[in-house]
Amino acid sequence: MSDGLSGPARSFSQRLGQWMPDGRGWRGVGLLWLGLVLLSLLGEDGRLLLRYEREAVLQGEYWRLITGHLVHGNTRHLLLNAAAVALIAALFQQEYSRRGWLLIALLSALAIDVAFVFWEPQITWYVGLSGVLHGALAAGAVAWWQYQPKPLALGLTAILVGKLSWEYWQGALPMVGDLAVVVEAHRYGALGGALAGFILWLQAHRQVAVKSRI
């Protein structure tokens, strides 16, 4: 009996319904959630110590380049990013290995950090995982162009590019309300994630080429 869904829609539905059946993805997401919650319990003093702060970084407090992505402005900010982590895990569970996701996260964070320090001096402080999450979305889009139906890949790419374009010209989306959103982090994070996705794409093709010659 037909489910009434077209090819791309069925693929999307199946992807949501097949989230990490072996539990490994749930554990990874759960550990990340736990880490974010524990950091939030440090309160305002902990947030001030760990957030990206330009002057502090320039004075040698380099840990902020990492921890700034892991602390959040308030509980709502944390919950939004936690939900985004779950969605990304559901959509792209099969695309990358753990090492691949680590590369994506590192290059996304690195792109944001380098851009903030060298090109965005007006950004004096920053918190949140959303920039890295945009990197994960960009890397996911790169993977979908390889492994998923083209309409699905095109749709995801259009949504991401459209969102980034809106933020570039108009600022944060209206739905975020009164959250202080640093949209530049989304843009640079997406660039870093896309770069990681292309690196992993080339690596996968190289491995296939090597195996075909054996």
Side-chain angles (χ1 to χ4, degrees):
M1 183 175 179
S2 173
D3 56 12
L5 297 176
S6 63
R10 183 179 298 109
S11 177
F12 183 81
S13 176
Q14 291 172 346
R15 180 165 294 275
L16 287 176
Q18 295 174 352
W19 185 10
M20 305 296 185
D22 60 3
R24 288 177 298 175
W26 278 110
R27 286 195 294 272
V29 171
L31 287 173
L32 179 55
W33 281 347
L34 177 61
L36 296 178
V37 169
L38 290 176
L39 287 173
S40 73
L41 296 178
L42 297 176
E44 183 63 19
D45 289 340
R47 185 180 302 114
L48 292 175
L49 177 66
L50 299 176
R51 72 182 187 180
Y52 167 82
E53 195 164 315
R54 178 180 172 80
E55 291 304 319
V57 169
L58 294 178
Q59 293 172 16
E61 297 182 7
Y62 301 123
W63 70 81
R64 295 175 181 271
L65 297 173
I66 298 174
T67 58
H69 301 286
L70 301 176
V71 292
H72 293 80
N74 54 37
T75 301
R76 182 185 171 206
H77 189 198
L78 171 63
L79 291 176
L80 286 173
N81 279 348
V85 169
L87 178 61
I88 288 170
L91 291 177
F92 309 121
Q93 55 161 311
Q94 299 174 352
E95 271 64 18
Y96 297 111
S97 66
R98 291 181 180 178
R99 288 185 178 181
W101 282 117
L102 180 60
L103 176 66
I104 291 164
L106 288 176
L107 284 187
S108 299
L110 180 62
I112 296 167
D113 294 338
V114 170
F116 280 11
V117 170
F118 293 101
W119 301 319
E120 303 289 353
Q122 78 283 0
I123 299 175
T124 57
W125 66 273
Y126 168 78
V127 294
L129 194 60
S130 61
V132 174
L133 292 174
H134 278 73
L137 281 173
V142 172
W144 275 17
W145 280 106
Q146 302 169 74
Y147 306 121
Q148 297 300 319
K150 293 301 184 287
L152 207 59
L154 179 61
L156 175 61
T157 303
I159 290 171
L160 180 59
V161 172
K163 181 178 185 295
L164 294 174
S165 298
W166 173 279
E167 290 177 341
Y168 182 79
W169 295 108
Q170 303 293 333
L173 295 175
M175 67 183 65
V176 302
D178 58 356
L179 285 178
V181 179
V182 181
V183 297
E184 291 86 352
H186 300 171
R187 187 159 61 248
Y188 294 122
L191 289 173
L195 175 60
F198 281 117
I199 290 173
L200 293 168
W201 185 352
L202 292 174
Q203 184 181 63
H205 278 272
R206 189 179 301 115
Q207 291 173 346
V208 170
V210 169
K211 289 180 180 179
S212 66
R213 290 198 296 267
I214 296 176

